[in-house]
Amino acid sequence: MASEKGYPQLSTILGNFEEMAMFRKFTRLNFANLAYMQAEILILETELDVIGEMNEQGGNWMQESVEELRKHPESPQWAKIKEIRSKLKEYSKSTKLKHADRTTLELLGTWIRGKDASSAFLHGDGLEPRAWTNDANDVIVLSARGTHSDSFTNWLANSAIPRLFDIGDYGKRLTVMGAEEMGLRYLEPTKIAAYARIISTSIASILPTCTVVVLYFIHSLIARIGAVVAFSALFAVSVAFFTNARPVEVFSATAALAAVQVVFIGSTTP
């Protein structure tokens, strides 16, 4: 048997050492292909709507019955539906359905629309710019880097930090490279998550201690019981807001804190 060379030899090596089987993802080309498919589907969607309107105006009720459409496979409407189905199947295989966050979507939309016609990525008022609308519920994101699981981090990313973008030198340091003239600013999701973790950890360590300190200075038993109720409610809201804990976990943590407070009340003299 002749010695293997070239790709046959490479495939043999990779077959024997699977941990070496590394290949390019072609990320840029895959994203470009998704953008092209998205534009195609937008055009097909509009064409289907036009066909439907023409059918209504002509008194053709086939669009109301799939059974009738299947009896006329040569009809433009059924042909367009099958064309869209094929494209959607291919498109859906390439996407992971996670909703985009509002701030990042607005950032991308600002760059696409541009300050004026000369700086716009997509010119005019055609179909393609509509793909990146401000409706975050109808836009998906392929990377999980920009998504946040808890309410506090989402609030930090979408409301608090964007307000800091216009503050002096700090905002200028966050300008997106290649879009300086448009004033686009962006903070890495990993940094946002780190800020959120520092804040939530600090609150988690301070809040339980504060309850004990406040209860120590309250001498009325009724007032202490009221403080326990208030602190327990505040703690439950904090856990739900600062973490992605499930309801049962919120109840468990709150019950544990309430038990500590009750023990403290019972062990100290008002």
Side-chain angles (χ1 to χ4, degrees):
M1 179 177 177
S3 60
E4 294 180 329
K5 293 183 179 180
Y7 281 106
Q9 184 182 25
L10 174 62
S11 62
T12 299
I13 294 173
L14 297 182
N16 292 331
F17 304 95
E18 294 186 8
E19 68 277 8
M20 295 175 61
M22 304 175 188
F23 301 91
R24 279 192 60 187
K25 291 172 59 177
F26 294 103
T27 303
R28 184 178 64 86
L29 289 177
N30 274 305
F31 285 167
N33 184 50
L34 278 176
Y36 290 137
M37 282 197 294
Q38 176 180 252
E40 286 184 83
I41 294 172
L42 279 169
I43 295 170
L44 291 172
E45 181 185 35
T46 303
E47 291 174 350
L48 180 63
D49 291 340
V50 170
I51 294 173
E53 291 175 3
M54 292 175 61
N55 285 342
E56 286 184 1
Q57 294 172 2
N60 188 338
W61 53 273
M62 281 198 307
Q63 64 174 350
E64 298 179 5
S65 171
V66 175
E67 183 178 1
E68 289 298 324
L69 281 171
R70 288 175 61 87
K71 291 178 181 178
H72 301 81
E74 74 287 350
S75 69
Q77 187 173 6
W78 187 241
K80 189 63 63 179
I81 289 172
K82 291 194 291 185
E83 185 179 1
I84 291 174
R85 180 181 299 164
S86 175
K87 288 290 182 183
L88 279 176
K89 183 178 181 181
E90 183 181 0
Y91 183 78
S92 298
K93 284 182 179 178
S94 305
T95 58
K96 298 177 182 179
L97 303 181
K98 294 188 289 286
H99 289 310
D101 71 87
R102 176 175 50 82
T103 302
T104 307
L105 178 59
E106 290 176 355
L107 178 74
L108 178 60
T110 300
W111 180 79
I112 288 173
R113 290 186 297 272
K115 275 189 174 181
D116 48 48
S118 61
S119 63
F121 166 66
L122 293 172
H123 300 281
D125 298 321
L127 294 173
E128 296 178 40
R130 300 179 193 174
W132 293 277
T133 65
N134 287 331
D135 182 9
N137 292 324
D138 195 38
V139 179
I140 59 172
V141 60
L142 299 185
S143 172
R145 290 183 64 216
T147 58
H148 309 291
S149 57
D150 60 272
S151 300
F152 174 67
T153 309
N154 277 320
W155 173 80
L156 201 65
N158 295 323
S159 298
I161 288 180
R163 289 188 173 90
L164 299 176
F165 287 170
D166 297 325
I167 299 178
D169 293 335
Y170 178 75
K172 293 179 181 178
R173 290 199 301 269
L174 302 177
T175 301
V176 176
M177 293 182 61
E180 292 85 358
E181 72 285 353
M182 295 179 63
L184 293 186
R185 296 182 175 91
Y186 179 70
L187 183 62
E188 283 287 336
T190 52
K191 292 184 178 179
I192 296 176
Y195 294 155
R197 187 165 56 250
I198 291 172
I199 295 172
S200 59
T201 302
S202 301
I203 292 176
S205 61
I206 293 173
L207 185 57
T209 306
C210 286
T211 64
V212 174
V213 173
V214 172
L215 288 174
Y216 177 79
F217 287 101
I218 297 177
H219 300 292
S220 169
L221 182 60
I222 297 299
R224 282 187 166 190
I225 294 174
V228 168
V229 173
F231 276 123
S232 297
L234 176 62
F235 181 78
V237 171
S238 300
V239 172
F241 182 62
F242 287 98
T243 72
N244 58 349
R246 297 174 299 168
V248 64
E249 294 169 337
V250 175
F251 277 111
S252 300
T254 305
L257 178 67
V260 171
Q261 295 177 97
V262 170
V263 169
F264 180 80
I265 292 176
S267 61
T268 57
T269 303

